[in-house]
Amino acid sequence: MKKLILPCLALLASLFAQAQNADPFSLPKLDYAYDALEPSIDAKTMETHHSKHHQAYVTNLNKALKGSRFEKMSLEDIVLRAGVAGDAIRNNGGGHYNHSHFWKILGTGSKFDPNSEVGKAIAQTFVSFDSLKTLMNQAGATRFGAGWAWLYLTPEKKLAICSSPNQDNPIMDVSPQRGIPVLGIDVWEHAYYLKYMNKRGDYLAAIWNVINWQQVNRNYKEALASPLLKVIEKDAWAELKEFHKVMGQTFHPAEEGNLQPIRSRSGEMLAKAKTLQSGKIPPSFNTPAIKSAIDKLVKGSEALDKLVHKKKSSDKAVTESLTKLHDVFHEIQGLCND
Ligand code: MN3
């Protein structure tokens, strides 16, 4: 019996080690053959695009993640933090997310349905399917250099159109337009050059023949229900982020006994609190509880600033006042996460 158990354990241990070392991301398989989208998108372009370009994003993303604090995160969480993750993770994480999305919204045999959820939302926002196509093609054609055209869902749950440079997308904290992608079109030259050469417009006109509208409708419904939408809405609340920055940069040193940052920045903290109070609160967070917590934040910042400017304010009193203010801030953070 022992003779059997030991090799089994060794095998399990090696499988476990392999699983531990496995790369977090891999190239997804296509649901169709490379030539399935002919003649709109040719087989050679599809093969190179998927097996070479997308594969390179996956390989380089895995490499860039190794040993970083983003290593164990989901792709969405990584993409959401693109601005702080560094260029390699931003470009390759975006590349992996965007292409995984792109392969799925392509396909044949599923026509645009005006009675589908996304069909109705498109009519409501853009009046007609034709004007959606025109606006998307404009977004794609006017994107200078490489990038993407997006139909996406905003945190207000409205459809909107934008374009992004390189491998950015509306989920990213760096994007001026935020939301969840519903239909993204790759306008990098590698997506069309073999067949269309320099004629990006012809590629854009043809791609509408091979959109998988069932998938686009699914994307729309999933985006509507996705908790990520509220995360993006909060992340895009610039005034809250600005206040948070000053709070983080003054409270944490104070915890370690360094009061210099708060003593020099209490006025700035008060200014950020007032901007937060007078700014527009995003719809999901516009509740009486959050409004009153923000009022408390302004009062607390005022008290702290006064204390700091008093002639002989003790370190103990300043620390106490700052700690109280930090608690109020976390009350808001908590209310936002409900
Ligand atoms: Mn591409």
Side-chain angles (χ1 to χ4, degrees):
M1 194 60 179
K2 246 187 193 167
K3 268 184 194 160
L4 250 173
I5 288 173
L6 281 174
C8 279
L9 282 176
L11 180 68
L12 273 175
S14 90
L15 283 175
F16 185 70
Q18 265 179 34
Q20 291 272 299
N21 290 326
D23 285 327
F25 297 108
S26 58
L27 185 69
K29 284 204 171 74
L30 298 190
D31 297 330
Y32 42 80
Y34 285 135
D35 64 1
L37 309 180
E38 292 266 15
S40 301
I41 305 180
D42 60 291
K44 191 78 199 148
T45 295
M46 284 302 290
E47 185 180 351
T48 318
H49 200 174
H50 176 254
S51 71
K52 300 287 191 282
H53 291 282
H54 189 173
Q55 179 63 63
Y57 295 121
V58 171
T59 305
N60 292 328
L61 175 62
N62 286 330
K63 216 187 282 173
L65 287 173
K66 222 152 241 145
S68 80
R69 69 188 167 98
F70 304 93
E71 200 172 2
K72 298 268 185 290
M73 286 186 193
S74 73
L75 188 56
E76 279 181 351
D77 281 339
I78 291 170
V79 167
L80 193 65
R81 292 165 179 79
V84 291
D87 284 349
I89 294 179
R90 172 177 174 176
N91 292 333
N92 294 296
H96 181 38
Y97 181 96
N98 296 348
H99 286 88
S100 303
H101 167 93
F102 188 56
W103 310 132
K104 288 195 141 182
I105 60 96
L106 293 177
T108 51
S110 133
K111 284 210 156 49
F112 175 73
D113 175 5
N115 292 317
S116 63
E117 286 85 345
V118 78
K120 286 179 192 159
I122 284 170
Q124 207 174 45
T125 312
F126 306 105
V127 183
S128 72
F129 179 46
D130 278 342
S131 66
L132 167 84
K133 284 201 279 193
T134 306
L135 291 168
M136 281 290 280
N137 289 356
Q138 257 168 21
T142 53
R143 166 54 54 190
F144 182 76
W148 290 74
W150 299 103
L151 174 69
Y152 66 101
L153 188 74
T154 70
E156 292 79 27
K157 305 202 168 179
K158 296 251 162 60
L159 285 176
I161 289 170
C162 72
S163 78
S164 65
N166 306 315
Q167 295 297 351
D168 286 358
N169 68 44
I171 295 177
M172 289 185 176
D173 53 357
V174 291
S175 174
Q177 292 94 1
R178 305 289 304 272
I180 298 180
V182 172
L183 195 183
I185 299 178
D186 189 344
V187 295
W188 281 59
E189 279 187 348
H190 69 219
Y192 62 85
Y193 202 84
L194 289 180
K195 181 180 170 86
Y196 294 96
M197 306 290 289
N198 56 324
K199 293 176 182 145
R200 191 189 281 182
D202 290 358
Y203 156 73
L204 284 169
I207 202 164
W208 297 101
N209 302 326
V210 288
I211 298 292
N212 178 350
W213 282 102
Q214 249 171 21
Q215 182 62 43
V216 175
N217 194 43
R218 210 172 298 139
N219 288 348
Y220 174 66
K221 287 194 290 184
E222 279 175 13
L224 276 174
S226 172
L228 181 62
L229 210 55
K230 205 172 168 189
V231 173
I232 292 173
E233 184 180 17
K234 187 178 161 203
D235 196 51
W237 188 0
E239 293 87 351
L240 186 73
K241 247 189 168 175
E242 286 288 305
F243 183 88
H244 192 178
K245 214 189 276 170
V246 183
M247 175 56 85
Q249 290 166 356
T250 55
F251 178 69
H252 297 302
E255 277 184 309
E256 283 157 17
N258 175 12
L259 292 184
Q260 205 275 323
I262 188 56
R263 284 192 181 275
S264 63
R265 297 179 71 184
S266 62
E268 190 188 345
M269 182 108 87
L270 174 58
K272 299 285 182 198
K274 283 182 171 166
T275 312
L276 178 62
Q277 189 185 38
S278 61
K280 190 174 167 263
I281 302 176
S284 305
F285 306 116
N286 200 350
T287 63
I290 288 181
K291 269 194 205 155
S292 100
I294 292 175
D295 292 343
K296 253 165 75 184
L297 204 65
V298 172
K299 283 202 183 104
S301 302
E302 254 160 13
L304 175 61
D305 188 48
K306 242 186 217 160
L307 189 64
V308 164
H309 287 97
K310 232 167 78 179
K311 269 204 176 133
K312 279 185 188 162
S313 55
S314 73
D315 283 358
K316 187 167 171 273
V318 171
T319 306
E320 268 174 22
S321 174
L322 178 58
T323 306
K324 234 191 258 169
L325 191 64
H326 180 257
D327 287 347
V328 176
F329 177 69
H330 272 276
E331 205 181 294
I332 298 174
Q333 288 278 42
L335 288 167
C336 288
N337 295 336
D338 283 349

